[in-house]
Amino acid sequence: MDQARASDGRPAPPAPAGPATWTSVARNSALECLLAFALLLTVITIVRWTVGPSPVSAAIPYPHMKLLVIGACVGPLLVGLILSPAGKASGGHMNPAISPAMWRFGVFSGVALVPYIVAQLAGSLLGVLAGRAVWGRAASRPPVSDAALQPGPGWSAGALFVAETASMAVIVLLVGLFLSVPRPAPLVPWLVGLLISMAIPLLGTTTGGSVNPARQFGPAIASGQLGFLRVYLLAPMVGAVAATSLHNRFLKRRTVRTYRLCGTDRADPPPVRPVDRVEAFEGVGLLVVAVHRPSGRLRPRIGPVVHVAVRRLSRRWTPRRPLPL
């Protein structure tokens, strides 16, 4: 199949990337659990002070205004988690619908799919339990109710399924388009934050604005509101798979380059080359030459001596072999 595509002039599909060994799968899954934990703990904190009894809630009497405040807080939170060291290392998915989408795009190993999803759901539940421990009864009682989501009055399970599927499909399509072009790829964290910031006030009073199974799993389990849980779990995954199918069918030339939502192929910036360190030490020596102006006979000799000494020290401290990538 790869050879056929190459003969037609189309780019070959990318090789599966992401965590492939059991060590990397375990490490990155633990990071995804930590990210989901931080996400849900912070979300419960935001909802507790914005919706629950507090001076902030009293100052914002209208529900739509409260949703705007929540969206304005959750969006930057997602950007920060994706761009954090843990988010760059694991990919910063925090969403059991994003991981299958990256697998369908061909940039994520299927070995890590189930561990990622389990870790994200576990982190969601642990984050809710931590929120209860921090905020006590104010987090578990209405109107907070562990930040569990419910659709608006008159919404059936079928209508909710369609709305959640379509919302997640739009997000995955946009993320896939951005990740397939080098320049917009680093903007994906900001794109995700903006889309979620808009989805919360626009869909909060209708569908609940979840578009993330991990966002609803922990709160629903902890609060016992299990009525629409299966819809909130399955609909985003169906939307993600449908979006990747559309992308792979109609946008074949725009292959997704990485599974990391930070938009780069590497978790960390490349290490400094030894030559850069040598140049840096030489720069220090030149600076000493320019600044050091003692009086007397030693004036023309001290500068070059310091420069040579710094140069030798730089060569001694700099490793001869290139740093491992």
Side-chain angles (χ1 to χ4, degrees), residues 97-142:
I98 293 294
S99 301
M102 295 302 169
W103 174 63
R104 291 278 297 170
F105 281 139
V107 293
F108 189 71
S109 175
V111 175
L113 192 57
V114 173
Y116 260 54
I117 294 176
V118 173
Q120 291 155 0
L121 296 179
S124 171
L125 182 58
L126 292 175
V128 174
L129 296 178
R132 278 191 172 191
V134 172
W135 302 115
R137 296 181 179 180
S140 59
R141 290 182 175 180

Side-chain angles (χ1 to χ4, degrees), residues 261-322:
L261 293 185
C262 61
T264 60
D265 295 332
R266 303 178 61 88
D268 299 313
V272 179
R273 295 178 304 166
V275 64
D276 295 336
R277 297 183 181 182
V278 172
E279 292 173 356
F281 278 109
E282 291 180 358
V284 174
L286 293 175
L287 180 62
V288 172
V289 172
V291 175
H292 191 74
R293 294 178 178 272
S295 60
R297 288 186 172 181
L298 295 178
R299 182 174 180 177
R301 298 181 180 179
I302 289 182
V305 169
V306 173
H307 178 65
V308 171
V310 172
R311 185 182 180 92
R312 290 182 178 179
L313 287 175
S314 67
R315 290 179 176 177
R316 178 175 299 181
W317 291 345
T318 304
R320 298 298 181 182
R321 297 180 180 179

